[in-house]
Amino acid sequence: MRVERVVPDLTVTDLRSAVAEHSAVLGLRVLMDHGWIVTLGDEEGHQLSLITRDASAPVNPDVSVFVDDVTAAFARAEALGLEIVHPLTDEPWGVTRFFYRNSDGRVINVGMHTDRE
């Protein structure tokens, strides 16, 4: 399993305001907008996600880590006995993911794109 991308997830109360201010300050543009999460980024691959409330999980993640084999990552998390707070799920927006809580209480979203043509 290989990590492909790591994106911080900031929980915000006003998504539109947060997008406007972070775009203006950091010069990032909207790469993805699902209405409840917006990912900003630049041409060099830097990204920041702003989230109000996750669409299908019981908690918001602190960070999203995209990997090339989410099933292998899930098996590793289970083998370590980590708390799975959102099960391995094929989401309708083309991502397969799960969340685990680390020993410091942070929630990590691990996923991979599984777009179906």
Side-chain angles (χ1 to χ4, degrees):
M1 183 209 63
R2 180 175 50 84
V3 172
E4 297 180 333
R5 180 169 39 115
V6 178
V7 181
D9 297 316
L10 299 180
T11 296
V12 301
T13 55
D14 183 335
L15 193 56
R16 296 297 140 222
S17 291
V19 167
E21 68 186 31
H22 290 292
S23 294
V25 172
L26 302 174
L28 302 175
R29 71 181 196 299
V30 173
L31 302 178
M32 177 194 73
D33 184 345
H34 285 300
W36 55 274
I37 186 172
V38 172
T39 299
L40 304 174
D42 64 17
E43 299 300 322
E44 296 172 13
H46 304 108
Q47 295 184 352
L48 172 67
S49 288
L50 308 167
I51 184 171
T52 53
R53 185 182 183 302
D54 195 277
S56 68
V59 296
N60 286 349
D62 295 297
V63 64
S64 292
V65 180
F66 291 86
V67 298
D68 67 344
D69 187 344
V70 72
T71 304
F74 183 74
R76 288 180 181 186
E78 283 192 314
L80 289 169
L82 296 171
E83 177 188 359
I84 305 299
V85 295
H86 182 62
L88 189 61
T89 305
D90 291 325
E91 303 289 7
W93 54 88
V95 170
T96 300
R97 66 183 186 155
F98 71 95
F99 291 10
Y100 71 90
R101 188 178 314 276
N102 75 5
S103 58
D104 291 322
R106 299 287 185 183
V107 175
I108 315 303
N109 169 21
V110 181
M112 65 184 269
H113 291 280
T114 51
D115 295 317
R116 293 163 191 83
E117 301 290 335

